[in-house]
Amino acid sequence: MSNKFCLPDHITPEIFLKEYWQKKPLLIRNGLPQIVGQFEPADILELAQGEDVTARLLKQYSEDNWKLKLSPLSEADFAELPEQWTVLVQNMEQWSSELGELWNQFGFIPQWQRDDIMVSYAPKGGSVGKHYDEYDVFLVQGYGHRRWQLGKWCNPSTEFKPNQPIRIFDDMGELVLDEVMAPGDILYIPSRLSHYGVAQDDCLTFSFGLRYPNLTDLLENVQKGFCHQNPDIDLTAFNIPLRLTPDLQQAGELAPQAVAEMKRQFLEKLASDEQFDRLFQQAVATAVSARRYELFPTEEMSDPEEVRSILAEENGILRQDNNCKLVYSQNPLQIYANGEWLDELNPLERSLLKRLADGECIDFADLSALVETTQDKDTALDLLLDSICNWLDDGWVLLD
C-alpha cells in the first residue's frame, strides 16, 4: 500500500483519477487496516439510539416488503425485528475524531467533495437492496464480512420498485464484480453503478461518500450573493435593463422570441462578467464547504496558555478536525469553514488554516516560524494562539 494514501502501490492518485474515478470500480484488499477494531456492532446499535444522531432502521420482511424507521430510534424499535434488517448511522466523523482522521487516507480527492461517513450494521443476510447512488463512495469493511455484487450502469430514468420506502430495483444486469470483503478491505464504487451488498455475518461497513454540488445549491448561493452584496464585488452592471428589439405581437403576450433573447443576454452576461466570476466562486466555495448535518460544538472553552503549553512543552500537534469542511480558494486566498466565508482572518490565520486544510500537522516550531517575520513576534503568537482556541471551540481543529 501507498504510505500516504489507501491506494495500492501500483495505482498512483493520477492513475486512479484517470482510469477509475467515475469510470470503473476498484477493490483494494486490506487498504485501510487502521479501521479494524475501532467499532463493534454493539457500539453502533447504542449510538443509533442517541438523541442527536441521524439514523435509519430498515427492516425487510420479503423482497417486496420493506419498512423504514427514521431517528430518533429507541430500544423498543429493536425489540421485534425480522431476520433481515439493517441500521444506518450518518455523520460518523461527528462522533469519532479517530474515524474522521481516516478521511486523510482519501486525500487524493479534494476535501470539498466529501459528504460524510456513514456506517451500516447488519446481521447475516441483512441488506439495503439492489440500488445505485448519485455519489461516489469508498466502502470500507470495519467488522465482519459483506458480499458485494456490482452490475449495470444506471441513470435518472432507471425504474425502481413501486411503493417501497427506499429506491431499489431487481435488475442488476451483467455482474462486473462479485466479491466478499473482509475487515480492512476497500471497494470504490462510481456514482450510478448498481450495487448490492449482503452481510455474511454480523458486519459493519463504513461508507466514505463523495459528491458534487447540484445546480439548485449553486443558484441558491448565487441568489444570496446578490441579496447580501460583498462590498468587494461590484454587481451594479446587473441592474441595467436589457436592450431588446421589439417584434410585432399581441398586447398581452410575452413572446417566446423575447424570452429567448433575454435568456441569451442573461447567459452571455454571466459568462463574460468578471465580477460575477468572483461572486460565483464564492457561491461554489460556500456550497461545497457546507455540512449536511448540524455541527455540535464543544462545551469546553480552550485556554491559550494551556494550548501553548501542550504545543511547546508536550510536543503537541495541531491538525484539522475532519468533522469540519475546511476549503480555500486562491487569488486572493480565501478560507471557508462549514459553508461560511471567513472574511475577517488576518494573513497569518489564513496561511495557517490553508496548511491545515491541505492535511499538514502543525507544531510549535511551525507557529514560531509563521510569526518570525512580524514586527512583534510575541504579540503575533499570542493573537494566533487566541485564534487557535476559537477554532478548537468551533470544532475546526484538533490538538493532539
Side-chain angles (χ1 to χ4, degrees), residues 217-218 220-226 228-235 274-290 327-337 339-343:
D217 293 335
L218 298 183
E220 181 179 334
N221 283 339
V222 167
Q223 180 188 22
K224 290 178 181 177
F226 275 104
H228 307 285
Q229 290 188 12
N230 180 345
D232 296 329
I233 300 177
D234 182 9
L235 297 174
E274 181 178 330
Q275 297 297 314
F276 180 78
D277 287 347
R278 297 178 60 192
L279 173 65
F280 187 71
Q281 176 176 291
Q282 291 187 3
V284 171
T286 302
V288 301
S289 64
V327 173
Y328 64 85
S329 59
Q330 299 274 33
N331 302 318
L333 177 61
Q334 296 180 337
I335 310 292
Y336 299 80
E340 178 186 0
W341 174 33
L342 309 181
D343 58 338

Side-chain angles (χ1 to χ4, degrees), residues 236-247:
T236 55
F238 288 86
N239 294 326
I240 300 174
L242 302 174
R243 296 181 65 83
L244 300 176
T245 301
D247 294 315

Side-chain angles (χ1 to χ4, degrees), residues 46 52 67 69 71 75 101 119 150 157 195 206 312:
E46 180 181 358
D52 297 317
K67 301 297 182 184
K69 174 70 166 61
S71 55
E75 188 175 348
E101 190 175 356
V119 65
L150 277 56
S157 67
H195 50 282
F206 294 83

Side-chain angles (χ1 to χ4, degrees), residues 34-63:
Q34 304 95 313
I35 203 170
V36 179
Q38 287 199 18
F39 292 91
E40 294 187 356
D43 302 323
I44 302 306
L45 290 176
E46 180 181 358
L47 181 61
Q49 299 171 47
E51 180 180 355
D52 297 317
V53 175
T54 302
R56 292 169 287 166
L57 176 60
L58 184 63
K59 297 179 281 189
Q60 182 184 3
Y61 295 93
S62 68
E63 287 190 6

